[in-house]
Amino acid sequence: MSDADVALPPLPEGGLISRMGISIMTVTPDSAVGSMPVEGNTQPYGLLHGGASAVLAETLGSLAAAAHAGPDGIAVGVDLNITHVRGMREGTVIGTATAIHRGRTIASYAVTITDESDATVAVARLTCAIRPRRAT
């Protein structure tokens, strides 16, 4: 599959991506970039919730892996780890997923989440299983 931007499959309305306010900027089999507001995604202390960062990381890595899988395949997350290095109380975070490995059955992505000044907020690694799409 080419590394050019790919057409996204229809994302479910009212699903987690839209509820978190995630905007997808680009998706290729090699990378994906998106953003998410801090507002509405905070924990009780007013900081960006670590789970929200994990949702952004898994979303971006999974979309890139799905692009790698192509129209006849699906990508299913099997492992996610994330380290939070800086708290945020406002603004927007930007996530960038970059392929580490794109194989026939496994794809792994490094995901960096930064603030608007490019300071690192969190780093993650996502591994997806690549499986054939079942006929419906």
Side-chain angles (χ1 to χ4, degrees):
M1 179 163 222
S2 144
D3 283 349
D5 270 352
V6 296
L8 291 175
L11 300 174
E13 287 188 33
L16 187 58
I17 294 170
S18 64
R19 285 196 310 266
M20 301 294 289
I22 294 173
S23 295
I24 306 302
M25 297 169 195
T26 64
V27 176
T28 72
D30 231 14
S31 67
V33 179
S35 64
M36 180 180 70
V38 172
E39 183 178 353
N41 293 315
T42 57
Q43 38 89 311
Y45 302 112
L47 295 168
L48 176 63
H49 196 292
S53 296
V55 168
L56 179 61
E58 184 148 359
T59 296
L60 296 172
S62 292
L63 288 173
H68 169 61
D72 296 328
I74 62 168
V76 182
V78 295
D79 182 63
L80 172 69
N81 69 64
I82 186 164
T83 301
H84 311 284
V85 297
R86 172 175 280 114
M88 288 192 62
R89 294 185 181 279
E90 58 186 18
T92 300
V93 291
I94 298 97
T96 303
T98 305
I100 298 169
H101 172 77
R102 294 185 330 174
R104 186 178 54 82
T105 60
I106 292 287
S108 293
Y109 292 82
V111 184
T112 303
I113 299 173
T114 62
D115 65 14
E116 294 158 303
S117 67
D118 208 32
T120 301
V121 173
V123 292
R125 187 189 70 240
L126 174 70
T127 299
C128 291
I130 306 297
R131 298 288 182 253
R133 183 179 301 276
R134 293 187 180 184
T136 55

